[in-house]
Amino acid sequence: MTDTDLAAGTATKPPWWRLIVPTDLPFLYELVTIVDPRWWRFSRGGLEPQRVLATAQSIAAGVIVHDHDDRPIAAALLADAGASGTGSFEYFAMPDAYAQAIARDLAPELIGAAFDGAPIRRLYHERFEGDPMLLGAAEALFEVEVTYPAFAPIGGRFETRTISVLTSERFGEWRQQQRSAAQPEQQPEQEPAS
Amino acid sequence: MITTARIVLRPVVPADYPRLYEIESDPATALTWRYRGELPPPQEYEPALWRQTQQIMVVQGRRTGTVVGYLQLHDLDLRAGHGWFSLYAGPEHRGSGLVMEGLMAFCEWAFGDWPIRWLYAHSFEHNVHAFESGLRRGEAVRLGVLRERMLVDGRPTDVHAIGIEREQWLASPLRRRFNTLRARVTS
């Protein structure tokens, strides 16, 4: 499906997401291999399937994003969620403009789900400088806290990696603003005629 | 093994475990070190000690023969060419400079024996002063601060990310001075 299809109104249903289930592992593995080595949690030790599987099973929660035709096109994971009230949001899409556009559109909703579903104060997002940015409207809310220069080799050159953070307060305020903006302005009450 | 006038940096042996356990049991630091106050019982200590760890080097004072602290090389990533280290000092030796001298020996050992470009460490806000002189001189760099990253006793605490780059270490005047003093000891 193309943007033209969407504009023409031929799309039957909007993209959607759901919680990950064990039968999604083949898709997750495929996605990891396609973006290799950018999904560092999985790729750093190589792609031996049992190791990738063990890593996937250690993840707190995750979702699969589907396109208009129900095809899985992206995956998001909430990792390292622990007693300190923090977690890591990891998000990758199939490397094409169509999948990435859908992923960007849904990112704020997925981040909201992470905050709603777990007691997280601070949500981290790690990325290589060359990773496609998929955070969509939430991108500007994240603040870089740590930069690892020349962290790992990708495609023959060392890429820098950053850790950004989004606090639950900041996201909550932003979400409230979005909701307020989406609601029609309320008419002031009429003064009763005396 | 690396020997200076005051310390020996050497690989840990099982006979050191009780001393390492004692160091980690110190209530002043137990909450902020890796077990977060939940140190495993001694019979489960060895596997816990070595989890995600490639090597442990103890710092032994030459005058007393006491293990004054230890350094761990962990989460080594040879694909990326970096690894992490943790540094633990016995309570009675903090501020003596012995363990920091051990850190210099550790850098010399790690960059000399492992194909790594960077050594990283995390330091809680209240411990980061141990790195300040290295940060000032430039052997170490602050890569950033994870604000309110951890809860210690229920209170949010910043965690500093510290990096030591191989080339920076190899070229540093501190390293030259360290090795000059070492050479005097061994000659």
Side-chain angles (χ1 to χ4, degrees), chain B residues 89-133:
Chain B
E92 66 279 35
H93 299 287
R94 286 176 205 145
S96 69
L98 292 174
V99 180
M100 293 316 280
E101 195 167 319
L103 174 57
M104 293 180 224
F106 181 83
C107 289
E108 197 61 11
W109 165 78
F111 289 128
D113 287 10
W114 295 87
I116 48 180
R117 302 172 299 113
W118 280 92
L119 276 171
Y120 303 124
H122 277 151
S123 176
F124 280 95
E125 176 73 19
H126 57 272
N127 290 332
V128 77
H129 60 85
F131 293 101
E132 288 299 344
S133 53

Side-chain angles (χ1 to χ4, degrees), chain A residues 36-37 40 43-44 46 83-84 86 121-122 124 145-153 158 163, chain B residues 75 77 79-82 84 117-118 120 122 143-151 156 159 161:
Chain A
D36 181 64
W40 197 244
S43 283
R44 66 180 169 193
S84 57
T86 59
R121 299 178 295 120
R122 301 174 75 80
Y124 294 104
E145 286 194 325
V146 177
T147 301
Y148 295 100
F151 185 79
F158 281 92
I163 304 177
Chain B
D75 294 298
D77 190 331
R79 179 174 188 168
H82 60 235
W84 294 77
R117 302 172 299 113
W118 280 92
Y120 303 124
H122 277 151
L143 302 169
V145 182
L146 296 164
R147 301 284 173 206
E148 303 186 347
R149 171 66 180 82
M150 300 298 294
L151 294 176
V159 173

Side-chain angles (χ1 to χ4, degrees), chain A:
Chain A
M1 182 171 300
T2 65
D3 288 348
T4 315
D5 294 329
L6 295 174
T10 54
T12 53
K13 59 191 286 194
W16 56 287
W17 60 271
R18 59 171 173 79
L19 290 177
I20 206 164
V21 293
T23 51
D24 291 318
L25 283 171
F27 169 70
L28 188 64
Y29 186 76
E30 182 192 358
L31 182 56
V32 167
T33 62
I34 288 173
V35 301
D36 181 64
R38 295 196 173 278
W39 205 332
W40 197 244
R41 177 179 299 275
F42 295 104
S43 283
R44 66 180 169 193
L47 296 177
E48 194 271 307
Q50 287 305 315
R51 208 196 59 76
V52 173
L53 180 66
T55 304
Q57 284 168 340
S58 71
I59 303 297
V63 303
I64 300 291
V65 173
H66 292 263
D67 71 2
H68 308 80
D69 295 324
D70 291 338
R71 287 174 302 200
I73 50 95
L77 300 180
L78 178 62
D80 306 326
S84 57
T86 59
S88 289
F89 181 74
E90 302 188 358
Y91 193 25
F92 282 89
M94 300 299 263
D96 60 76
Y98 165 68
Q100 289 172 353
I102 291 173
R104 277 193 293 274
D105 279 350
L106 287 177
E109 203 175 314
L110 302 184
I111 290 166
F115 278 120
D116 293 341
I120 292 174
R121 299 178 295 120
R122 301 174 75 80
L123 186 66
Y124 294 104
H125 180 65
E126 291 192 29
R127 66 186 297 270
F128 285 108
E129 58 184 301
D131 286 356
M133 175 49 85
L134 300 177
L135 297 177
E139 178 184 346
L141 302 175
F142 279 83
E143 189 180 334
V144 173
E145 286 194 325
V146 177
T147 301
Y148 295 100
F151 185 79
I154 298 182
R157 65 177 281 268
F158 281 92
E159 286 198 18
T160 290
R161 189 166 174 84
T162 53
I163 304 177
S164 307
V165 68
L166 172 59
T167 63
S168 56
E169 292 84 5
R170 187 162 191 200
F171 184 74
E173 286 164 14
W174 178 81
R175 184 156 60 177
Q176 193 53 48
Q177 285 166 7
Q178 299 298 306
R179 285 174 179 163
S180 302
Q183 283 171 357
E185 239 176 80
Q186 297 216 335
Q187 294 295 317
E189 280 182 29
Q190 295 286 319
E191 286 286 321
S194 55

Side-chain angles (χ1 to χ4, degrees), chain B residues 62-99:
Chain B
R62 287 189 65 191
R63 193 173 58 79
T64 61
T66 308
V67 170
V68 299
Y70 72 97
L71 290 117
Q72 251 179 322
L73 179 64
H74 61 91
D75 294 298
L76 193 68
D77 190 331
L78 294 181
R79 179 174 188 168
H82 60 235
W84 294 77
F85 72 94
S86 301
L87 180 155
Y88 303 87
E92 66 279 35
H93 299 287
R94 286 176 205 145
S96 69
L98 292 174
V99 180

